[in-house]
mmCIF file of all heavy atoms in Angstrom:
data_model
loop_
_atom_site.group_PDB
_atom_site.id
_atom_site.type_symbol
_atom_site.label_atom_id
_atom_site.label_comp_id
_atom_site.label_asym_id
_atom_site.label_seq_id
_atom_site.Cartn_x
_atom_site.Cartn_y
_atom_site.Cartn_z
ATOM 1 N N ILE A 15 95.059 86.061 98.672
ATOM 2 C CA ILE A 15 95.480 86.961 99.762
ATOM 3 C C ILE A 15 94.272 87.760 100.257
ATOM 4 O O ILE A 15 93.999 87.842 101.459
ATOM 5 C CB ILE A 15 96.573 87.940 99.277
ATOM 6 C CG1 ILE A 15 97.874 87.201 98.971
ATOM 7 C CG2 ILE A 15 96.836 89.022 100.320
ATOM 8 C CD1 ILE A 15 98.934 88.062 98.332
ATOM 9 N N LEU A 16 93.525 88.336 99.295
ATOM 10 C CA LEU A 16 92.409 89.202 99.689
ATOM 11 C C LEU A 16 91.290 88.402 100.347
ATOM 12 O O LEU A 16 90.675 88.858 101.308
ATOM 13 C CB LEU A 16 91.878 89.946 98.469
ATOM 14 C CG LEU A 16 92.809 91.047 97.965
ATOM 15 C CD1 LEU A 16 92.462 91.436 96.556
ATOM 16 C CD2 LEU A 16 92.726 92.264 98.866
ATOM 17 N N LYS A 17 91.022 87.195 99.828
ATOM 18 C CA LYS A 17 89.926 86.402 100.400
ATOM 19 C C LYS A 17 90.293 85.884 101.783
ATOM 20 O O LYS A 17 89.427 85.452 102.533
ATOM 21 C CB LYS A 17 89.566 85.233 99.481
ATOM 22 C CG LYS A 17 89.079 85.644 98.101
ATOM 23 C CD LYS A 17 87.769 86.404 98.128
ATOM 24 C CE LYS A 17 87.220 86.608 96.734
ATOM 25 N NZ LYS A 17 86.842 88.002 96.459
ATOM 26 N N SER A 18 91.589 85.894 102.131
ATOM 27 C CA SER A 18 91.958 85.520 103.509
ATOM 28 C C SER A 18 91.754 86.704 104.447
ATOM 29 O O SER A 18 92.164 86.644 105.610
ATOM 30 C CB SER A 18 93.416 85.074 103.605
ATOM 31 O OG SER A 18 93.852 84.480 102.437
ATOM 32 N N ARG A 19 91.202 87.787 103.930
ATOM 33 C CA ARG A 19 90.860 88.974 104.710
ATOM 34 C C ARG A 19 92.088 89.585 105.404
ATOM 35 O O ARG A 19 92.047 89.947 106.570
ATOM 36 C CB ARG A 19 89.778 88.652 105.750
ATOM 37 C CG ARG A 19 88.539 88.044 105.124
ATOM 38 C CD ARG A 19 87.441 87.809 106.122
ATOM 39 N NE ARG A 19 86.798 89.034 106.572
ATOM 40 C CZ ARG A 19 85.904 89.725 105.882
ATOM 41 N NH1 ARG A 19 85.551 89.337 104.680
ATOM 42 N NH2 ARG A 19 85.387 90.820 106.370
ATOM 43 N N LEU A 20 93.177 89.675 104.651
ATOM 44 C CA LEU A 20 94.413 90.201 105.238
ATOM 45 C C LEU A 20 94.608 91.680 104.945
ATOM 46 O O LEU A 20 95.406 92.331 105.590
ATOM 47 C CB LEU A 20 95.624 89.435 104.677
ATOM 48 C CG LEU A 20 95.649 87.928 104.969
ATOM 49 C CD1 LEU A 20 96.829 87.294 104.279
ATOM 50 C CD2 LEU A 20 95.725 87.703 106.459
ATOM 51 N N ILE A 21 93.906 92.196 103.938
ATOM 52 C CA ILE A 21 94.178 93.559 103.487
ATOM 53 C C ILE A 21 93.062 94.495 103.928
ATOM 54 O O ILE A 21 91.878 94.213 103.693
ATOM 55 C CB ILE A 21 94.298 93.609 101.946
ATOM 56 C CG1 ILE A 21 95.264 92.546 101.439
ATOM 57 C CG2 ILE A 21 94.690 94.996 101.483
ATOM 58 C CD1 ILE A 21 96.707 92.805 101.738
ATOM 59 N N LYS A 22 93.453 95.584 104.571
ATOM 60 C CA LYS A 22 92.462 96.588 104.951
ATOM 61 C C LYS A 22 92.723 97.866 104.171
ATOM 62 O O LYS A 22 93.881 98.279 104.036
ATOM 63 C CB LYS A 22 92.560 96.914 106.437
ATOM 64 C CG LYS A 22 92.059 95.807 107.332
ATOM 65 C CD LYS A 22 92.088 96.246 108.786
ATOM 66 C CE LYS A 22 91.354 95.248 109.654
ATOM 67 N NZ LYS A 22 91.359 95.642 111.057
ATOM 68 N N VAL A 23 91.671 98.485 103.686
ATOM 69 C CA VAL A 23 91.790 99.808 103.078
ATOM 70 C C VAL A 23 91.007 100.767 103.962
ATOM 71 O O VAL A 23 89.817 100.542 104.209
ATOM 72 C CB VAL A 23 91.240 99.829 101.639
ATOM 73 C CG1 VAL A 23 91.377 101.213 101.052
ATOM 74 C CG2 VAL A 23 91.976 98.826 100.777
ATOM 75 N N ASP A 24 91.674 101.781 104.463
ATOM 76 C CA ASP A 24 91.058 102.736 105.392
ATOM 77 C C ASP A 24 90.411 102.030 106.585
ATOM 78 O O ASP A 24 89.303 102.379 107.015
ATOM 79 C CB ASP A 24 90.010 103.604 104.680
ATOM 80 C CG ASP A 24 90.664 104.574 103.718
ATOM 81 O OD1 ASP A 24 91.893 104.713 103.779
ATOM 82 O OD2 ASP A 24 89.946 105.177 102.907
ATOM 83 N N GLY A 25 91.083 101.004 107.086
ATOM 84 C CA GLY A 25 90.602 100.334 108.285
ATOM 85 C C GLY A 25 89.469 99.347 108.066
ATOM 86 O O GLY A 25 88.937 98.804 109.022
ATOM 87 N N LYS A 26 89.073 99.111 106.795
ATOM 88 C CA LYS A 26 88.012 98.128 106.520
ATOM 89 C C LYS A 26 88.592 97.025 105.648
ATOM 90 O O LYS A 26 89.309 97.302 104.686
ATOM 91 C CB LYS A 26 86.860 98.799 105.748
ATOM 92 C CG LYS A 26 85.911 99.586 106.611
ATOM 93 C CD LYS A 26 84.530 99.573 105.956
ATOM 94 C CE LYS A 26 83.461 100.153 106.860
ATOM 95 N NZ LYS A 26 83.508 101.610 106.922
ATOM 96 N N VAL A 27 88.251 95.789 105.979
ATOM 97 C CA VAL A 27 88.743 94.678 105.156
ATOM 98 C C VAL A 27 88.097 94.747 103.783
ATOM 99 O O VAL A 27 86.879 94.900 103.659
ATOM 100 C CB VAL A 27 88.389 93.339 105.828
ATOM 101 C CG1 VAL A 27 88.761 92.182 104.925
ATOM 102 C CG2 VAL A 27 89.087 93.217 107.162
ATOM 103 N N ARG A 28 88.907 94.623 102.736
ATOM 104 C CA ARG A 28 88.376 94.622 101.361
ATOM 105 C C ARG A 28 88.789 93.319 100.699
ATOM 106 O O ARG A 28 89.967 92.956 100.736
ATOM 107 C CB ARG A 28 88.954 95.784 100.559
ATOM 108 C CG ARG A 28 88.604 97.152 101.112
ATOM 109 C CD ARG A 28 87.149 97.495 100.872
ATOM 110 N NE ARG A 28 86.807 98.783 101.489
ATOM 111 C CZ ARG A 28 85.565 99.175 101.703
ATOM 112 N NH1 ARG A 28 84.550 98.409 101.393
ATOM 113 N NH2 ARG A 28 85.322 100.349 102.244
ATOM 114 N N THR A 29 87.812 92.627 100.102
ATOM 115 C CA THR A 29 88.142 91.351 99.479
ATOM 116 C C THR A 29 88.024 91.410 97.965
ATOM 117 O O THR A 29 88.240 90.407 97.285
ATOM 118 C CB THR A 29 87.201 90.246 99.988
ATOM 119 O OG1 THR A 29 85.860 90.653 99.713
ATOM 120 C CG2 THR A 29 87.379 90.012 101.463
ATOM 121 N N ASP A 30 87.668 92.562 97.424
ATOM 122 C CA ASP A 30 87.528 92.697 95.969
ATOM 123 C C ASP A 30 88.888 93.023 95.374
ATOM 124 O O ASP A 30 89.491 94.038 95.713
ATOM 125 C CB ASP A 30 86.516 93.825 95.694
ATOM 126 C CG ASP A 30 86.407 94.135 94.216
ATOM 127 O OD1 ASP A 30 86.929 93.339 93.410
ATOM 128 O OD2 ASP A 30 85.811 95.161 93.873
ATOM 129 N N GLU A 31 89.383 92.158 94.468
ATOM 130 C CA GLU A 31 90.745 92.385 93.963
ATOM 131 C C GLU A 31 90.848 93.614 93.057
ATOM 132 O O GLU A 31 91.934 94.110 92.821
ATOM 133 C CB GLU A 31 91.303 91.144 93.245
ATOM 134 C CG GLU A 31 90.461 90.561 92.160
ATOM 135 C CD GLU A 31 89.537 89.467 92.716
ATOM 136 O OE1 GLU A 31 89.066 89.593 93.863
ATOM 137 O OE2 GLU A 31 89.276 88.515 91.988
ATOM 138 N N THR A 32 89.711 94.072 92.542
ATOM 139 C CA THR A 32 89.792 95.287 91.713
ATOM 140 C C THR A 32 89.200 96.493 92.448
ATOM 141 O O THR A 32 88.772 97.455 91.814
ATOM 142 C CB THR A 32 89.060 95.081 90.373
ATOM 143 O OG1 THR A 32 87.751 94.584 90.628
ATOM 144 C CG2 THR A 32 89.810 94.085 89.509
ATOM 145 N N TYR A 33 89.187 96.422 93.777
ATOM 146 C CA TYR A 33 88.704 97.570 94.559
ATOM 147 C C TYR A 33 89.557 98.797 94.237
ATOM 148 O O TYR A 33 90.791 98.739 94.271
ATOM 149 C CB TYR A 33 88.817 97.251 96.053
ATOM 150 C CG TYR A 33 88.368 98.394 96.943
ATOM 151 C CD1 TYR A 33 87.024 98.579 97.219
ATOM 152 C CD2 TYR A 33 89.284 99.302 97.471
ATOM 153 C CE1 TYR A 33 86.601 99.630 98.018
ATOM 154 C CE2 TYR A 33 88.872 100.356 98.269
ATOM 155 C CZ TYR A 33 87.533 100.513 98.525
ATOM 156 O OH TYR A 33 87.118 101.559 99.304
ATOM 157 N N PRO A 34 88.911 99.940 93.897
ATOM 158 C CA PRO A 34 89.704 101.108 93.502
ATOM 159 C C PRO A 34 90.245 101.885 94.705
ATOM 160 O O PRO A 34 89.533 102.676 95.307
ATOM 161 C CB PRO A 34 88.699 101.954 92.715
ATOM 162 C CG PRO A 34 87.380 101.597 93.291
ATOM 163 C CD PRO A 34 87.478 100.189 93.799
ATOM 164 N N ALA A 35 91.476 101.626 95.063
ATOM 165 C CA ALA A 35 92.128 102.440 96.089
ATOM 166 C C ALA A 35 92.624 103.697 95.390
ATOM 167 O O ALA A 35 93.057 103.627 94.243
ATOM 168 C CB ALA A 35 93.278 101.679 96.709
ATOM 169 N N GLY A 36 92.567 104.848 96.062
ATOM 170 C CA GLY A 36 92.959 106.090 95.395
ATOM 171 C C GLY A 36 93.787 106.978 96.294
ATOM 172 O O GLY A 36 94.225 106.576 97.371
ATOM 173 N N PHE A 37 93.955 108.209 95.848
ATOM 174 C CA PHE A 37 94.799 109.177 96.542
ATOM 175 C C PHE A 37 94.421 109.278 98.022
ATOM 176 O O PHE A 37 93.244 109.376 98.358
ATOM 177 C CB PHE A 37 94.628 110.537 95.864
ATOM 178 C CG PHE A 37 95.546 111.599 96.399
ATOM 179 C CD1 PHE A 37 96.903 111.543 96.159
ATOM 180 C CD2 PHE A 37 95.043 112.662 97.131
ATOM 181 C CE1 PHE A 37 97.749 112.513 96.648
ATOM 182 C CE2 PHE A 37 95.881 113.650 97.619
ATOM 183 C CZ PHE A 37 97.242 113.572 97.372
ATOM 184 N N MET A 38 95.422 109.195 98.901
ATOM 185 C CA MET A 38 95.276 109.319 100.356
ATOM 186 C C MET A 38 94.741 108.064 101.048
ATOM 187 O O MET A 38 94.620 108.033 102.270
ATOM 188 C CB MET A 38 94.348 110.494 100.767
ATOM 189 C CG MET A 38 95.009 111.828 100.735
ATOM 190 S SD MET A 38 96.223 112.019 102.022
ATOM 191 C CE MET A 38 97.087 113.446 101.403
#
């Protein structure tokens, strides 16, 4: 899913599956 560039965190595409998303 992530390598298909479908997920954005704070408006930036993230492809690292262990990217640390946090509060807010």
Side-chain angles (χ1 to χ4, degrees):
I15 292 173
L16 288 162
K17 299 295 189 230
S18 329
R19 305 184 72 77
L20 299 176
I21 309 289
K22 288 184 169 180
V23 180
D24 290 348
K26 280 209 171 76
V27 174
R28 298 288 176 196
T29 57
D30 174 12
E31 53 268 35
T32 51
Y33 179 82
F37 186 70
M38 280 290 165

